[in-house]
Amino acid sequence: MRRLIYALLLLQLSFTAAADDGTELEKLYSALNMLNQQQQAVYQQFQMVQEVRRSSVPMLYGRPMPPKTDGQIANYDAVVEAHERAIQREESLYQQADQLLAKYNEIEEMKKPIQAKIYDLTLKAGQD
């Protein structure tokens, strides 16, 4: 009789552990999904910044082209100012892209322990 009660208790504990593992797996998958969505949003922002960088300033020999003036002689100060604004905009876009890339990599690092825990729980469930 004691053996039967002991066996039933062990069986109940194993079911409880399996249920706990299942609940934990659900939570881990949910967290991983959330991080994947954040990472995808960051990547899309990065792509937009890169596209703006490519299309914002027409370049001529590695330098921004001066604005078209409809055949009139361009004002030197206006051309210099436009050139400086273009350089500042390019630097700002570069910094934004760099920050987004760092955020993307940060999220990737946050995912690693979750993925490892999912892997461990999956292996454990396969052994049971």
Side-chain angles (χ1 to χ4, degrees):
M1 183 68 164
R2 284 184 181 174
R3 287 184 183 173
L4 179 61
I5 292 174
Y6 182 69
L8 288 174
L9 284 174
L10 285 178
L11 186 62
Q12 182 181 4
L13 287 175
S14 68
F15 284 140
T16 304
D20 289 344
D21 287 349
T23 302
E24 187 174 0
L25 271 173
E26 286 179 24
K27 289 178 182 178
L28 290 169
Y29 277 121
S30 178
L32 186 61
N33 186 38
M34 181 188 67
L35 289 173
N36 282 335
Q37 289 173 353
Q38 287 179 356
Q39 196 174 35
Q40 183 178 10
V42 168
Y43 182 70
Q44 288 172 345
Q45 291 174 353
F46 176 80
Q47 286 179 316
M48 287 187 286
V49 168
Q50 290 295 82
E51 186 58 35
V52 169
R53 283 181 67 196
R54 277 189 224 99
S55 65
S56 67
V57 180
M59 301 296 265
L60 178 65
Y61 305 113
R63 305 185 96 195
M65 289 177 50
K68 299 199 187 249
T69 58
D70 298 330
Q72 296 180 357
I73 298 175
N75 179 332
Y76 177 78
D77 293 332
V79 171
V80 169
E81 185 179 324
H83 179 71
E84 288 174 358
R85 278 195 315 267
I87 290 172
Q88 289 173 351
R89 175 123 172 105
E90 178 65 22
E91 288 174 1
S92 173
L93 290 171
Y94 177 79
Q95 288 175 353
Q96 287 178 20
D98 195 41
Q99 290 170 349
L100 289 168
L101 184 59
K103 180 68 175 171
Y104 182 91
N105 290 331
E106 178 184 322
I107 294 171
E108 189 65 31
E109 288 302 314
M110 292 169 65
K111 288 169 39 178
K112 287 181 181 179
I114 295 172
Q115 291 168 329
K117 185 68 175 172
I118 289 172
Y119 180 75
D120 290 344
L121 288 174
T122 304
L123 283 180
K124 181 181 173 187
Q127 293 173 355
D128 290 342

